[in-house]
Every structure is written in C-alpha cells, then in structure tokens.
Amino acid sequence: MYFLMIFAFIFIVPIIVIVWNLKKNVSPYQTLFESIVLTSMVVIAILFSAFIDSGVSLGDQLMGIIKEAAGFLAGTEEFVKAAGIGNMTYDERVSLIVSAYGMMNSMLPSTVLISGTLVSYFLYMIISKMYKSVGGKPAELVPLKFFRWPPNTMTGFLAMFLLSFVIGLLPAFEGMQIYMNISVIFEFVIAVQGLGFVFLIFDMKKIPKAFAVVVGIIGMATSFGRMILFAVGAFDYMINMRGRMARR
C-alpha cells in the first residue's frame, strides 16, 4: 500500500503544484523546485507513517518482500535458466537475488527524488502546453542546452550531505543508506548540466535533436555514460565552458 502511495504522489503532487503556479505565473524552475521539494516531503511523511504504523522501517518491509520473492525465484526453473545461475546452489541463488534487489531497496530515496524530478519536468512541459492552448501565457522552460545550475548549488548539496548523516540515524530510515543516496542525486544533478552541454554541441554542429536525445538517454541510463556526463557537467559548472564558447 505504501509503495503505491509513493508512486501515486510522484504524479499527484507535481500536477497540483504546476497547475497552481501556472495560474500565478511563477517561474518554471521555481515551480519545478517546489514540486520536487513537496514530493520529497510527502514521501518522507509516508515513510514515517509506515514506520509508526508497523514499527518496522519501510526499507525493512521491502527487504522482507524481496527475500520472499528471492526464495520463489531461486526455485523457479525458468528464471534460473534465463538468469544463467543454474550452476549455483539454491542458497547461493537466494543470496545473489537478495543482494541485487537489496541495493535497489537502499536506493529508494534517490530513485524517488530523481523520478520526481523527471516526472515534474515532463509534466510541466505537457501541462504548460495545455494551458497555452486555452489562452494562458505560461512561463516557458529554458532549453536544456542553455540550462545551468545556480552558483549556490554546491552549498545546498554540502548541507544535504551533512543532513544525511543525521537522517540516517532515524529508525524510520534504517537501511536506506541516505549518504549514498545523496551521492547518487549529486551525480545525477551534475550529469544533467553535462547533458545540457552535449545538447548545445549537437545544436552548434546542426545535428538533429533526436540524436542528442538518444545520446542523453543512453548516457543517463548507463554508469559509464553518467560518469562522462558528470565530468563534463563538473567542468562546465566550474569554468562555464558554454559561456566561453559563446564569447568566441
């Protein structure tokens, strides 16, 4: 039930915030920021509710489900063959499945936040176009190729890293590895700026935007791609490569 609530609010909260702020003509990036923050606060409230209701953290509840599923999958011949783990013992299969999906469990907070960010971004694009079609004048998002994080972004993340140590001590977040989650979010945020640089290069070289989208999807979906985008984004953030290119 709680996981369905989290999934639902990832969509419900952004829709409410976006519709409300469009009517007030609020800046699109302020709207996205408010949407992401409120979504995160709702998810945290759900996590606490799950803990208060059962006395067990949501992470531990999910791990219980994962262990049951691992026991079932480890004994399913079709899955064992498809996964290529037929040469392992039953206990080894269970341990492997639990370790693989257990990592997904510990990454739940960052997964929720990143998912909320992407959902908020695309919902804003869709809802603002709908609002414009009925005569509204919504503020438009800056194209990704021109997007840069503000200078105080690093200060905010430093505060988040320090806060993560405190939150990680709370029983409701036991097993969530908050510090690691903040690291994943930090990597994602800087990679987004790197993606903006890639979009600008493709635009300058007159390469169709569809290719930039494909490169972006592959880059963000793979660990090596995110590492490259993170490096590019970090350099762009520190020395403003796009600004230097524009002045030439």
Side-chain angles (χ1 to χ4, degrees), residues 106-116 180-185:
S106 65
M107 290 295 104
L108 180 62
S110 59
T111 300
V112 168
L113 186 55
I114 291 172
S115 299
M180 185 182 296
N181 277 275
I182 298 297
S183 297
V184 171
I185 295 169

Side-chain angles (χ1 to χ4, degrees), residues 132-242:
K132 192 174 183 179
S133 68
V134 297
K137 295 182 179 180
E140 296 186 0
L141 288 165
V142 176
L144 184 59
K145 63 183 178 181
F146 297 130
F147 177 75
R148 281 180 53 82
W149 292 107
N152 59 357
T153 299
M154 293 302 132
T155 303
F157 269 107
L158 177 60
M160 288 177 67
F161 275 115
L162 294 175
L163 184 61
S164 69
F165 285 107
V166 178
I167 294 176
L169 298 176
L170 300 177
F173 295 93
E174 186 177 354
M176 287 294 184
Q177 299 186 29
I178 300 298
Y179 181 81
M180 185 182 296
N181 277 275
I182 298 297
S183 297
V184 171
I185 295 169
F186 177 72
E187 177 187 333
F188 171 79
V189 165
I190 300 302
V192 168
Q193 180 148 335
L195 187 58
F197 183 83
V198 171
F199 269 67
L200 178 63
I201 295 297
F202 273 60
D203 184 66
M204 293 175 62
K205 299 296 182 182
K206 307 298 181 183
I207 300 174
K209 186 179 292 185
F211 287 99
V213 172
V214 172
V215 170
I217 292 173
I218 294 174
M220 297 300 283
T222 61
S223 57
F224 180 74
R226 286 194 304 274
M227 181 177 68
I228 297 299
L229 290 175
F230 176 84
V232 173
F235 276 114
D236 187 46
Y237 181 86
M238 291 186 292
I239 66 175
N240 191 14
M241 292 191 292
R242 278 178 284 182

Side-chain angles (χ1 to χ4, degrees), residues 78-109:
E78 293 78 7
F79 175 81
V80 170
K81 287 182 178 179
I85 55 177
N87 59 332
M88 295 183 177
T89 66
Y90 175 81
D91 290 338
E92 288 174 337
R93 296 172 195 167
V94 171
S95 297
L96 179 63
I97 296 170
V98 168
S99 63
Y101 287 93
M103 181 57 69
M104 293 173 60
N105 168 42
S106 65
M107 290 295 104
L108 180 62

Side-chain angles (χ1 to χ4, degrees), residues 121-143:
Y121 183 85
F122 287 110
L123 281 177
Y124 187 91
M125 293 174 63
I126 295 169
I127 296 173
S128 63
K129 286 183 179 180
M130 293 171 61
Y131 185 57
K132 192 174 183 179
S133 68
V134 297
K137 295 182 179 180
E140 296 186 0
L141 288 165
V142 176

